[in-house]
Amino acid sequence: ARIALYGVLVGGVFALDVVTPLGLNVPILYLVPLLVAFLLDDVQLRLVLTAFVSLLTIGALPLLWSESWRLGVANRAFDLGVFGVALLLSIRDAHTVGELKDLKHAIDRASIIVVVDTRGVIQHANDRLCEVSGYARGELVRQEWRVLDAPSGPPGDLWRTVAKGEI
């Protein structure tokens, strides 16, 4: 469904671009689907979409050339610069997301992690906790911590720490 939405947005800008005189900066409207992709945090789609709209900006020249064609060429050069920044940000984010996935995997293998709110309701349980406890994540999340065996040590200390929002 998302790809269809991007297709409609990009197609609409493309159709408008080829029927609008070159002096008008229509390709900057490609930022709308790019910004939506940034908001949805879909890094791979951002990479593909940014490259695609850059190609459209270069290759899809309007059918109508106005007297202000120099302005149109300057606008397209500016737009390509903006899309280049978006592409660099997407590449950086793709690298960061990859690193975060690797770190999450390492933490999940090495540690048991459960996140609870101040009422003791489980908000997150990592893969290792599920593996060790025998519970599926869906069986743990939104349950009280008591569903798990209490950790060793005085429970008062544990809950004072949790109530303060500390680790």
Side-chain angles (χ1 to χ4, degrees):
R2 270 194 230 177
I3 299 208
L5 170 67
Y6 292 119
V8 168
L9 290 171
V10 170
V13 174
F14 178 77
L16 188 61
D17 190 20
V18 295
V19 297
T20 304
L22 183 61
L24 298 176
N25 192 10
V26 174
I28 199 69
L29 295 177
Y30 286 124
L31 280 179
V32 173
L34 285 179
L35 290 174
V36 171
F38 268 83
L39 289 174
L40 296 176
D41 205 26
D42 190 340
V43 177
Q44 290 180 334
L45 182 60
R46 282 179 9 210
L47 286 166
V48 171
L49 196 56
T50 304
F52 185 63
V53 300
S54 295
L55 290 174
L56 288 179
T57 300
I58 294 169
L61 294 176
L63 301 173
L64 303 172
W65 284 68
S66 65
E67 296 82 38
S68 58
W69 66 270
R70 286 184 186 90
L71 178 61
V73 171
N75 283 340
R76 286 181 188 269
F78 172 78
D79 297 345
L80 287 172
V82 170
F83 300 152
V85 169
L87 187 61
L88 291 174
L89 290 172
S90 296
I91 291 168
R92 183 205 62 190
D93 288 355
H95 180 70
T96 302
V97 167
E99 286 181 341
L100 288 173
K101 283 180 181 178
D102 290 344
L103 287 171
K104 181 190 179 309
H105 178 74
I107 289 169
D108 275 345
R109 295 306 326 143
S111 302
I112 294 174
I113 298 174
V114 61
V115 177
V116 297
D117 63 16
T118 55
R119 296 179 327 251
V121 176
I122 298 172
Q123 302 298 310
H124 172 78
N126 75 339
D127 295 341
R128 184 79 176 134
L129 174 64
C130 295
E131 181 183 308
V132 169
S133 71
Y135 288 104
R137 186 171 284 111
E139 294 174 304
L140 292 173
V141 175
R142 291 184 291 285
Q143 299 296 319
E144 285 196 23
W145 70 276
R146 290 178 185 89
V147 75
L148 299 169
D149 289 336
S152 61
D157 289 343
L158 172 67
W159 289 112
R160 275 192 291 278
T161 302
V162 168
K164 291 180 192 174
E166 296 176 0
I167 296 174

